[in-house]
Amino acid sequence: MAGTLEFSPDDRYNAFITTCRQAPFSDGALAGTAVAVKDNISTKGIQTTCASKILEGYVPPYDAYVVELLRQAGAAIVGKTNMDEFGMGTTTETSAFGPTQNPADPSRVPGGSSGGSAAAVAAGLVPMALGTDTGGSIRCPAAFCGIVGLKPTYGRVSRYGLIAYANSLEQIGPMAQTVEDVSKLMSVIARYDPRDSTMIDRPYDHRPSAEIKGLRVGIPEEYFGEGVDPRVAESVRDAVGILEGLGAETVPVSIPGMRHALAAYYVICTSEASSNLARFDGVRYGPAVDTRKSWHEAYQDLRQELFGAEVRRRIMLGTFALSAGYAGKYYAKAQIARRNIREDFERAFCDADVIAGPTMPTTAFRLGERSDPISMYLSDILTAPANLAGIPAISVPCSTVDGLPVGLQIMGRQFEDERVVDAAFAYEQEVRA
Amino acid sequence: MKTIVGLEIHVQLSTATKLFCGCSTDYRDDEPNTHCCPVCLALPGALPRLNKRAVEYGLRVAKALDMKVLEESEFARKNYFYPDLPKAYQITQYDKPLAVEGTVEIEDDEGHEKIVRITRVHLEEDPGRLVHVAGGSKYSLVDYNRSGIPLLEIVTEPDMRSPQEARRFLNKLRTVLEYLGVFDGEREGGLRVDANISLEGSERVEVKNISSYKGVEKALTFEVTRQKNLLRRGQRVTRETRHFMEGRGITTSSRSKEEEHDYRYFPEPDLRPLRVADWVAAIDLPELPTARKNRFMTQYGISLNHARTLTGDPKLADFYEAVAHVDPVLAATWVADTLLGELNYRDMGIAAVPVERIAELLALLRSETITDTAGVQVLREMLDTCAAGKPCEPPAMIVEREGLARATGDEFTQVVEKVIAANPHAVEDYRAGKKGALNFLVGQVMKETRGRADPRELGKIVSEYIDTGGV
Amino acid sequence: MITESDIEHIAELADIGISKDEVPEFTTQFNAILDYFEVLDTVEGESAPDAGIVNVFRDDEPRPCLSQEKTLENAGSTENGFIKAPRVM
């Protein structure tokens, strides 16, 4: 079975940057399935922009490994989804191609940065999509839009072809309406790729199981405290109660390093970003630099004009955090904080098999609501720790607050993606039954 | 006033592929931008993959220079903008280099052995190549074929005391690298040097961009003179970076902005650390120049000078060893003095010379079938043939064809008689005690026999002939 | 405290243009963010080597390169097989 999928969606939420009206597909596990790909994942022959003007018109001459795998599995790649510019945001509002709206409530943001992928799935335009998660960018929009999203263990999915924002933190991951589809997409993309030196050869071959009797679920106090909307906390506690009803037992755990997590996360991601985004100079790709100007002036003008404000702010923050005289205070301290957090999780996972909490401290914001950087950054507090620790984390919908979706987040030990999928599956099966 | 020199040498390692991607390094004479891939072009999303052989080559050098290989080393990003640097950072090694603390033995200016300490060696990638368009164009052209070529940076302590010592150090280092088979000496720009030079008590100047090892002595000599002149005039030497203009043999001040660089190093998150210290024990080093030089002296009984020259290039040393069986001392003289001189004159490499033919030539010389003078003629003819790309005749055939065999017996006597008869004045002068007259007569015989006679032997025969009035 | 001239210096290091009227806002935002980062001063512990996999290599075997055409395809401006860049003085 092979052919072409006609794809002409009613993209009323601005979920896509590029759509492929005639998407070829072939035989395989995903034969003929429409899959949307976040626009920071390279697709050979299809424009890949990272939602930035600086990459407008860039057509990669190669496929990211996950895209190669999708094609091999027979999927039809139907489009490239909207996102925060270079993944730098929690709302998909920093896209150079306009914000995406939340299908659950179009006056609200879909979350970010993989907001386009989440909205495309939530609106039923595609059954599955790929997102990327640097500090919560899969789980946040999954929670805000009421779908399922998995951030895999660091090193489990190849980053080859993912346009880097923060290399040491990010992973590509699956997003879908159901845990089963997330698991199915994960088993396609989690294959060893020697081109990503940070990978470990642990392919994911798993069918979700709802059997969680005896599963020890860690409840970290830090995930239910200050800054978390009490109604969100309440609905997540209810969800944990359902897990208990299925035979899981809860244990209190603590991640004391959480108080440093967000600062450490922002120092690390902006530092890496400042270096990663330095290559965008209009020479080899993207809108052309003005070669009549002197080179510093030419680069500065191009980068001022074509990068959005948040991207420029993060590049400058990272530049500062690495600069002479400050690297010890910021970058080096952030690395220590990161290791402390990783060790906190390791300790917690001695007592618990998975850790559960809310994905986001609140429900989806109104469009334009979070305009100052700090208040936006603070909303990553519950998701960024899993990226710092490199552990798998899934967001699965659990009830609503004021009609807006709330996400239950389940984190697991490194390379125990299967276990978090099972826990999420058990919950989903129970509440959907 | 003591001169203090330290060097940073960038060596292109002779791997088949680039440091972080599978693009071939053999781009000589190829079109621009034909040895590129997403990785070395810094296309968005591409990831580096470390070439194992580059690490092995680095370790070979570390072992040869007696260095300490770090338990853990890692790559770091050196962030700066320059149009030849596609990622706007160079993947290099910063605070965890491959190896530290080594030594190289050289001769100082008095001919004594001295040690130059090596601070560190580390791996890094070469940037692309900028071509400046002539005619006042406002833009540059970039070729990324060189982007990602593996470099080994070797940093010395400031242990050299003159431009000559620096040259000798580089010669020695280059020889070691060639012995190790990690470096192709014939590759243009394969070895590039930044030199730090100061006069004791004065500020240090960094001279960048010296792209040949011969240029280093020139650049440093220029700097010593320039700095001494400044001090003589009561001025101070400014701490700065200067560029060497190879063509003009001078250094010029570069904009001071370069010294304000803030490279914002941090560990390369796309690569994993190296733990390779325990690989060193298994590395089998070839015999290195110093050991080989010593062996040549004891095994072949040749002079220090010949041994040093012959071992200065591994290919030359191999060549010598292949012909030494004929007569080691004779072979040393002919290879180190005559052959090398003739090759330099023709700008030829030793690789183009057929070993067997030279061995045959040496055998002719050893058996006194031909004289040294005739030997040089035969050698020249052989080399000219090789240079023209034609098969080289056996030397015996050249001797035969050209009639270059040593003159003996009647032929010899006839020529002597003829010359004496034709130059009565010179004979008179000789009899009157003018020794120069004998040289003239011998020269005439040599000319007549086209070098086929041995001049020393000839002198004896001519004088005897005149003294005794006949044969 | 980060001053407006610090902001201009950082922009220069990052090779990002910043207009005069953006500087005050960037400065205010930077200081708010850096205030938040102050919490890192309370981080305890020593830096330690990165745990995890080591020695990840590729064999020194040539692989196909992109064609010159593909290499130049996305470049804004090319000349005789070269890619044009601003001139370095």
Side-chain angles (χ1 to χ4, degrees), chain A residues 76-98:
Chain A
I77 291 164
V78 295
K80 305 299 294 288
T81 56
N82 203 8
M83 55 185 281
D84 282 293
E85 185 179 4
F86 282 100
M88 297 181 179
T90 311
T91 62
T92 312
E93 291 170 295
T94 70
S95 167
F97 302 101

Side-chain angles (χ1 to χ4, degrees), chain B residues 117-343:
Chain B
R117 290 168 299 159
I118 305 297
T119 315
R120 56 184 273 157
V121 300
H122 71 249
L123 291 163
E124 63 184 28
E125 57 180 338
D126 220 348
R129 186 173 64 96
L130 282 185
V131 177
H132 300 283
V133 189
S137 301
K138 286 225 160 130
Y139 52 89
S140 305
L141 297 176
V142 202
D143 171 14
Y144 295 101
N145 283 348
R146 199 182 67 183
S147 169
I149 296 285
L151 300 177
L152 188 71
E153 178 169 332
I154 302 170
V155 183
T156 79
E157 293 290 312
D159 284 352
M160 284 148 282
R161 292 291 166 267
S162 70
Q164 293 71 35
E165 274 188 26
R167 173 180 45 84
R168 278 195 297 275
F169 169 82
L170 282 171
N171 269 332
K172 179 65 178 285
L173 181 68
R174 178 195 165 96
T175 310
V176 170
L177 296 170
E178 283 179 348
Y179 269 68
L180 294 171
V182 302
F183 166 68
D184 174 2
E186 274 149 44
R187 191 173 186 125
E188 204 182 315
L191 199 142
R192 302 194 298 269
V193 181
D194 297 341
N196 286 302
I197 178 163
S198 60
L199 300 175
E200 195 172 29
S202 275
E203 285 290 353
R204 194 180 72 187
V205 169
E206 187 180 17
V207 186
K208 279 193 174 285
N209 195 32
I210 315 178
S211 59
S212 77
Y213 73 107
K214 284 171 191 148
V216 170
E217 186 178 359
K218 268 212 270 184
L220 291 177
T221 305
F222 177 86
E223 265 305 301
V224 171
T225 313
R226 186 186 70 85
Q227 293 182 22
K228 281 188 175 163
N229 283 341
L230 281 176
L231 297 177
R232 202 169 293 136
R233 281 187 247 120
Q235 292 168 308
R236 300 170 63 130
V237 177
T238 348
R239 189 182 178 120
E240 62 175 344
T241 298
R242 300 179 68 87
H243 277 260
F244 179 54
M245 321 283 278
E246 191 103 45
R248 296 164 64 195
I250 62 165
T251 67
T252 56
S253 184
S254 44
R255 302 263 163 77
S256 56
K257 204 162 178 190
E258 218 154 325
E259 286 158 78
E260 292 162 20
H261 265 319
D262 180 350
Y263 290 122
R264 292 163 281 134
Y265 288 98
F266 71 100
E268 168 56 82
D270 288 331
L271 293 169
R272 299 298 309 161
L274 294 174
R275 284 184 163 271
V276 291
D278 56 354
W279 292 13
V280 177
I283 295 174
D284 238 342
L285 287 184
E287 187 183 30
L288 292 172
T290 307
R292 200 169 195 187
K293 177 193 77 188
N294 294 336
R295 177 170 65 80
F296 275 21
M297 288 162 65
T298 50
Q299 183 180 341
Y300 298 119
I302 63 175
S303 71
L304 171 65
N305 266 337
H306 279 159
R308 195 178 273 149
T309 306
L310 291 170
T311 54
D313 170 358
K315 289 190 224 91
L316 187 67
D318 290 346
F319 188 94
Y320 169 72
E321 293 215 83
V323 299
H325 63 89
V326 178
D327 179 329
V329 176
L330 184 75
T333 312
W334 275 82
V335 175
D337 300 339
T338 321
L339 175 59
L340 209 53
E342 294 292 334
L343 288 177

Side-chain angles (χ1 to χ4, degrees), chain A residues 149-216:
Chain A
L150 169 68
K151 181 204 92 70
T153 299
Y154 186 81
R156 200 138 190 204
V157 177
S158 171
R159 290 184 295 115
Y160 193 80
L162 161 61
I163 300 179
Y165 158 25
N167 326 50
S168 75
L169 296 161
E170 63 205 4
Q171 282 284 288
I172 296 170
M175 303 172 84
Q177 295 270 12
T178 65
V179 174
E180 193 169 9
D181 276 354
V182 157
S183 180
K184 193 171 171 189
L185 187 51
M186 178 69 177
S187 57
V188 169
I189 62 169
R191 287 284 173 273
Y192 183 64
D193 178 11
R195 289 174 299 183
D196 177 352
S197 300
T198 62
M199 263 200 105
I200 293 193
D201 189 4
R202 292 280 289 272
Y204 178 97
D205 284 300
H206 183 66
R207 292 186 73 87
S209 150
E211 177 54 61
I212 57 162
K213 197 163 263 160
L215 186 78
R216 296 172 301 164

Side-chain angles (χ1 to χ4, degrees), chain A residues 42 58 61-62 159-163 167 194-195 197-198 275-276 278-279 284-285 291-292 295 299 319 322-324 331, chain B residues 38 41-49 77 79 81-83 86-89 138 144 262 264 266-267 269-270 272:
Chain A
S42 302
Y58 168 63
Y62 75 104
R159 290 184 295 115
Y160 193 80
L162 161 61
I163 300 179
N167 326 50
R195 289 174 299 183
S197 300
T198 62
S275 175
N276 291 326
R279 70 183 61 188
R284 293 164 311 287
Y285 36 78
T291 56
R292 291 165 305 179
W295 66 285
Y299 286 1
T319 302
L322 286 170
S323 67
Y331 184 79
Chain B
L41 282 173
L43 291 193
L47 296 173
R49 287 181 73 195
R77 292 184 180 182
N79 296 286
F81 288 91
Y82 207 73
K87 295 190 292 296
Y89 57 84
K138 286 225 160 130
Y144 295 101
D262 180 350
R264 292 163 281 134
F266 71 100
D270 288 331
R272 299 298 309 161

Side-chain angles (χ1 to χ4, degrees), chain A residues 1-33:
Chain A
M1 166 180 151
T4 308
L5 193 77
E6 302 280 337
F7 187 70
S8 38
D10 168 16
D11 189 14
R12 68 177 68 177
Y13 306 113
N14 194 29
F16 285 92
I17 292 174
T18 304
T19 49
C20 309
R21 296 190 158 271
Q22 307 273 324
F25 64 89
S26 61
D27 233 358
L30 296 179
T33 308

